[in-house]
Amino acid sequence: MKAVRYHSYGGSDVLVYEEADRPVPGVGHVVVRVAGTSYNDADSGLRAGLRQDTLPLAFPHTPGLDLAGVITEVGEEVSDWSVGDAVVALLPTDAPGAAAEHVAAPAAALASAPRTVELADTAALPLVGLTAWQALFEHAGLKHGQNILINGAGSAVGGYAVQLAAQAGATVTATASARSRDRIRSYGADRIVDYTVAPVVQALAGQHFDVVLQLAPAGPEENTQLVDLVVDGGAFVSVTTPGPQDAGRGVRTVHVFGRSDVAQLAELVSRVDAGDLVIEVAERLPLADLVTVHARAAGRFARIAELAAQAEGGDLAERLRADPAAVRAPAAAGELAGKTLLIP
């Protein structure tokens, strides 16, 4: 079968579209014929080796955390799934990913795929949808009637966060450019702040929110300014770079990494099928183009990595200084907007 793999940590140029052995289902696993996977910046972080101390990879490694596909083989001790079932999953971070024609996936990570949208498109849901859900309800504790600022609402996580927050009965202020303004408003945002016109903190001076959800790359100074927009006892939750550890005024600051949760994923799927949650896909490309997608995203990812190093310091900063080629963008790299699907 064909797969995209890399045989060492590094920049996007370590990715290779090549022949690989078709997997067999181990105990508790199934083999899935991949209908689609998607690009996440987390894939770039793993490829660059930024988390190799806590998440070491076995090489060659196949990226692709998001999976949508159809089960073709069932391993021992799997009783809940059958050949022909359409499934969606967030795969384990250190396991072979879905950037291949087939992948062996743990049965415990699977949820039934939505029935009302194209199967491949559901690969745009797992990681970013779960991240939005967990940020809002587990970490921020968002409740009906509260006010929330979603900074970076035009992002993949942001689109789901706006929809979920609005459905929870919160008053949603969202930052977005003119390009995504109408889409974000259709998701239920009560107010749109165009960050290209004026800095967000300046545009919202004097206002306060029960929750600020940070989805945009930012340095320590900008995050501290955003924390000032949180009410006493509120929450600042960041998916990109962490906020200050001690914000004062009883404000909680949380740095979120999305994780697999089958019950939550099943709830997201049910909302898709009910017509309450829109899956937004920016583009669909053949799997062989994943190498190009990583290169296109390099500029944004390099900025995120550098800002994270400023905020976190320690081992991450040292690793970035030691191997800058792993995250630096090539001169011709452009920005990658929206959720990109890769189709085998």
Side-chain angles (χ1 to χ4, degrees):
M1 69 170 187
K2 288 290 189 180
V4 175
R5 304 193 297 180
Y6 50 94
H7 297 253
S8 64
Y9 295 117
S12 60
D13 56 346
V14 300
L15 292 162
V16 182
Y17 182 61
E18 62 186 5
E19 288 290 338
D21 292 336
R22 179 169 168 168
V24 295
V27 176
H29 285 63
V30 301
V31 172
V32 177
R33 182 177 69 250
V34 178
T37 187
S38 75
Y39 170 80
N40 295 288
D41 283 328
D43 291 310
S44 286
L46 291 170
R47 186 210 69 229
L50 300 189
R51 303 296 180 185
Q52 59 183 286
D53 49 345
T54 55
L55 289 168
L57 302 177
F59 296 118
H61 179 73
T62 304
L65 298 171
D66 291 322
L67 166 66
V70 176
I71 294 175
T72 59
E73 298 178 66
V74 176
E76 296 180 8
E77 300 183 14
V78 176
S79 57
D80 296 336
W81 300 101
S82 303
V83 172
D85 288 343
V87 294
V88 63
L90 175 59
L91 297 175
T93 305
D94 57 352
E101 292 178 332
H102 293 83
V103 63
L110 303 176
S112 294
R115 302 179 304 275
T116 56
V117 296
E118 291 290 333
L119 179 56
D121 287 1
T122 64
L125 178 65
L127 179 56
V128 290
L130 286 169
T131 300
W133 181 280
Q134 291 160 13
L136 291 173
F137 304 122
E138 287 188 1
H139 299 290
L142 185 69
K143 297 179 177 61
H144 184 279
Q146 289 188 320
N147 295 310
I148 182 172
L149 167 64
I150 300 177
N151 188 39
S155 66
V157 176
Y160 290 118
V162 170
Q163 294 179 75
L164 293 171
Q167 291 167 22
T171 300
V172 180
T173 298
T175 70
S177 67
R179 180 179 60 181
S180 54
R181 178 183 56 220
D182 291 344
R183 175 171 61 88
I184 298 305
R185 191 177 300 282
S186 74
Y187 289 164
D190 297 283
R191 179 186 178 190
I192 306 291
V193 175
D194 189 338
Y195 63 89
T196 67
V197 174
V200 173
V201 174
Q202 178 181 322
L204 297 173
Q207 302 178 48
H208 291 88
F209 302 87
D210 298 294
V211 175
V212 171
L213 177 57
Q214 170 64 305
L215 305 176
E221 182 178 352
E222 184 178 346
N223 278 343
T224 298
Q225 292 174 340
L226 286 170
V227 167
D228 290 341
L229 298 178
V230 180
V231 300
D232 293 357
F236 176 86
V237 179
S238 178
V239 170
T240 53
T241 48
Q245 291 185 354
D246 184 7
R249 301 187 293 109
V251 174
R252 294 182 296 109
T253 61
V254 187
H255 193 202
V256 175
F257 296 93
R259 71 177 199 288
S260 177
D261 186 300
V262 172
Q264 292 174 358
L265 184 55
E267 172 62 23
L268 293 172
V269 167
S270 70
R271 293 189 183 208
V272 171
D273 280 339
D276 296 328
L277 193 65
V278 176
I279 293 177
E280 184 73 23
V281 175
E283 60 182 343
R284 301 166 182 83
L285 300 172
L287 180 60
D289 286 355
L290 181 58
V291 179
T292 302
V293 172
H294 272 246
R296 285 166 46 192
R300 184 183 68 248
F301 176 68
R303 180 165 179 255
I304 293 171
E306 289 168 353
L307 292 170
Q310 292 175 23
E312 297 181 35
D315 292 342
L316 177 58
E318 291 178 9
R319 188 168 297 131
L320 285 169
R321 286 194 292 269
D323 188 15
V327 295
R328 290 294 188 273
E335 288 299 313
L336 178 68
K339 198 67 173 163
T340 295
L341 295 185
L342 290 308
I343 313 296

